[in-house]
């Protein structure tokens, strides 16, 4: 499985690795995003197992600046599905986990002890919450896939974060970073391993190396991805064109260009930013 997964991920550029046969490694290398689910219920205690895996991830200084909201009701999943796309799979899969950068817990801790944790009001602390949430979520993904379940991340939670916050009832100093859909993959519509850039494009040794020939930086990746799209009945487009189109204008960010405004609306204030923009 490991060799097959590497071939699917890298094609002819797959590194020749002598890897041990480890189930967890096979699962990680075989990851694919699943967007077609059946409505079947998840195995008992799936949620608690995923949260245990998430909480086993590293967390900076053990501050644990993240939380997660498990959304299982049909009504609320449909509301989120409409806000983030629409993306219908949120309303089909039985579980949507919304991972949060959560500074409110430490704020409440300070209030209870009559102390002011001023470090909450610096951008790095919010970034810490985002990183903590991402590390936790990826642990949950590995656990879910080890259980035979499918997952897909939903960055669209940041398209309309104020409306998402209303659906989720989040207090100030909590921000929905992304969602994670969890369910049983639909066997009639299987997902496939998507090709990635060659390792030479992302791996730098000792120092960052800017390639002398920019045209060769991503190798044959445009064609590899086109072939993947053809095989799976998707609209063909060069990856390089797709990336530049996705980041070509504020409008292309589908609402995420107003992230700073949304953070302020969620109660976040950053001393290191706000003080530098006064006057």
């Amino acid at each position: 499985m490991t060799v097959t997964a590497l071939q699917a991920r890298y094609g002819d550029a797959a590194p020749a690795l002598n890897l041990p046969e480890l189930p967890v490694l096979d699962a990680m290398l075989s990851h694919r995003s699943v967007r077609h689910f059946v409505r079947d219920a998840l195995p008992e205690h799936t949620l608690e197992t995923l949260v245990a895996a998430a909480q086993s991830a590293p967390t900076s200084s053990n501050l644990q600046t993240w939380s997660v909201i498990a959304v299982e009701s049909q009504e609320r999943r449909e509301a989120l599905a409409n806000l983030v796309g629409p993306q219908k799979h949120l309303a089909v899969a039985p579980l949507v986990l919304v991972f949060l950068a959560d500074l409110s817990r430490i704020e409440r801790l300070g209030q209870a002890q009559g102390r002011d944790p001023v470090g909450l009001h610096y951008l790095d602390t919010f970034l810490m919450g985002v990183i903590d949430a991402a590390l936790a979520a990826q642990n949950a993904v590995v656990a879910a896939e080890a259980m035979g379940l499918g997952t897909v991340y939903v960055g669209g939670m940041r398209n309309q974060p104020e409306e998402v916050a209303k659906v989720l009832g989040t207090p100030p100093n909590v921000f929905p970073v992304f969602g994670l859909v969890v369910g049983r993959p639909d066997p009639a519509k299987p997902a496939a391993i998507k090709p990635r850039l060659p390792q030479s494009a992302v791996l730098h040794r000792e120092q960052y190396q800017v390639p002398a020939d920019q045209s060769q930086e991503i190798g044959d990746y445009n064609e590899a991805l086109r072939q993947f799209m053809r095989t799976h009945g998707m609209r063909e487009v060069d990856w390089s064109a797709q990336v530049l189109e996705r980041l070509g204008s504020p409008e292309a960010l589908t609402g995420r260009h107003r992230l700073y405004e949304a953070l302020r609306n969620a109660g976040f204030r950053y001393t290191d930013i706000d003080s530098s923009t006064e006057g």
Side-chain angles (χ1 to χ4, degrees):
M1 175 62 75
T2 298
V3 174
T4 302
L6 284 173
Q7 186 68 33
R9 193 70 76 193
Y10 294 114
D12 293 339
L17 304 178
N18 184 19
L19 297 175
E21 291 296 328
L22 299 174
V24 66
L25 188 57
D26 284 343
M28 294 173 72
L29 294 177
S30 301
H31 166 76
R32 70 283 311 274
S33 293
V34 175
R35 293 179 175 83
H36 299 284
F37 299 89
V38 295
R39 295 183 181 273
D40 297 2
L42 299 176
E44 188 177 9
H45 303 309
T46 293
L47 174 59
E48 294 82 0
T49 301
L50 297 184
V51 172
Q55 287 194 282
S56 298
T59 169
S60 182
S61 300
N62 199 30
L63 295 181
Q64 303 181 66
T65 50
W66 68 277
S67 290
V68 61
I69 296 177
V71 183
E72 298 176 285
S73 72
Q74 185 68 39
E75 179 182 6
R76 192 164 280 114
R77 285 188 289 111
E78 288 181 356
L80 291 175
N82 290 326
L83 286 173
V84 303
Q87 296 187 42
K88 295 180 180 179
H89 44 277
L90 278 77
V92 175
L95 176 62
V96 177
L97 299 175
V98 183
F99 283 84
L100 314 166
D102 184 358
L103 305 186
S104 71
R105 183 166 48 244
I106 295 176
E107 185 177 48
R108 291 190 297 274
L109 182 65
Q111 291 170 349
Q113 298 187 15
R115 300 178 61 181
D116 181 15
V118 295
L120 290 180
H121 308 302
Y122 286 83
L123 182 59
D124 183 71
T125 309
F126 172 72
L127 183 60
M128 185 189 306
V130 173
I131 294 171
D132 270 10
L135 294 173
Q138 189 57 27
N139 256 29
V141 165
V142 174
E145 293 180 345
M147 297 167 68
L149 302 174
T151 65
V152 63
Y153 282 110
V154 183
M157 294 292 170
R158 301 189 302 279
N159 291 2
Q160 302 183 67
E162 292 96 340
E163 296 304 313
V164 169
K166 291 177 184 177
V167 172
L168 300 177
T170 52
N173 285 320
V174 174
F175 192 79
V177 182
F178 49 77
L180 180 67
V181 182
V182 182
R184 297 182 186 272
D186 184 347
K189 299 178 180 178
I193 298 174
K194 183 178 289 186
R196 292 288 195 253
L197 289 167
Q199 287 196 1
S200 59
V202 301
L203 173 62
H204 303 265
R205 297 182 183 274
E206 305 300 338
Q207 290 187 314
Y208 196 104
Q209 303 293 324
V210 178
D213 185 352
Q214 291 292 320
S215 65
Q216 296 302 313
E217 183 167 11
I218 65 172
D220 297 327
Y221 185 64
N222 279 329
E223 179 51 36
L225 194 58
R226 276 184 172 275
Q227 177 61 43
F228 177 85
M229 293 172 173
R230 279 195 297 272
T231 301
H232 297 281
M234 303 166 65
R235 183 177 69 90
E236 291 184 43
V237 61
D238 280 348
W239 176 80
S240 52
Q242 187 178 48
V243 168
L244 295 176
E245 180 180 343
R246 177 64 177 81
L247 301 174
S249 68
E251 293 74 22
L253 297 177
T254 60
R256 302 180 208 182
H257 62 290
R258 38 178 312 278
L259 177 61
Y260 182 59
E261 177 187 353
L263 287 172
R264 292 186 67 90
N265 290 339
F268 292 86
R269 297 291 185 273
Y270 297 117
T271 300
D272 47 341
I273 290 181
D274 294 344
S275 61
S276 66
T277 58
E278 292 178 356

